[in-house]
Amino acid sequence: AEKIRFASSATYPPFESMSSENQIVGFDIDLAKALCQHLKADCTFTNNAFDSLIPALKFRRYDAVISGMDITPERSKQVAFTRPYYANSAIVIAAKDKYQTMAELKGKRIGMENGTTHQRYMQDKHPEVITVAYDSYQNAILDLKNGRLDGVFGDTAVVNEWLKENPQLGTVDKAVTDPQYFGVGLGIAVRPDNQALLSKLNGALDAITADGTLKKINDKWFAK
Ligand SMILES: NC(=[NH2+])NCCC[C@H](N)C(=O)O
């Protein structure tokens, strides 16, 4: 069977995280496994820092990146993306009921993961905010809880997960979807010269969408 090596940054539930048994689990992982099953391929998963995913993909350490990654114009210059498999948006969280708007976060410390669309957007669009870069979202959330940060900016589905476990936190302002920064949804990235894998993944995505598998995986990880 064909072998497909996937990489992901497993600090981002429900998309990907490490289970108590030290396995990478999540929506993206179930999706990749369903694609592999359809393609009768053997798949492996590795955990890596988010900002190293694209460089190491180019370096051929693995074949594909699935990591809650927004399909942006900038990344599309370096990698080829499958069609979008999830519609995304981003939002800030902070102490509940403390801030209503972004303007109120002026001079406040907002954390985000290095190399993310959130980091770029915040630095460009909200220079009045102090952006603090983290190697992982896990560490940003820890600092928010410890009071070393005033807020964290992340994908809405992930933020909702953090809010479930942290009733002292709440959202600030509306979710952002600026396509220039956040692209057209989440996609799987491959090397541009690997059109064979790209078309296989796109074909498998169509198949698992048509037969209801993708919806099942969605319902499992994004329960309303
Ligand atoms: N697995 C992760 N830590 N993913 C972070 C993704 C953040 C954002 N959606 C981006 O594409 O930049």
Side-chain angles (χ1 to χ4, degrees), residues 133-145:
Y134 283 84
D135 60 339
S136 77
Y137 266 111
Q138 233 145 35
N139 288 333
I141 285 295
L142 276 178
D143 270 6
L144 178 59
K145 291 200 231 173

Side-chain angles (χ1 to χ4, degrees), residues 8-12 15-16 28 50 53 66-72 75 88 113 115-119 136-137 154-155 182 186:
S8 150
S9 188
T11 63
Y12 214 49
F15 290 105
E16 45 268 329
D28 281 346
F50 188 76
L53 291 174
I66 185 160
S67 196
M69 188 175 272
D70 296 309
I71 303 173
T72 64
R75 288 176 181 150
N88 210 17
E113 191 172 79
T116 58
T117 47
H118 310 120
Q119 184 183 35
S136 77
Y137 266 111
D155 288 307
F182 298 101
L186 303 183

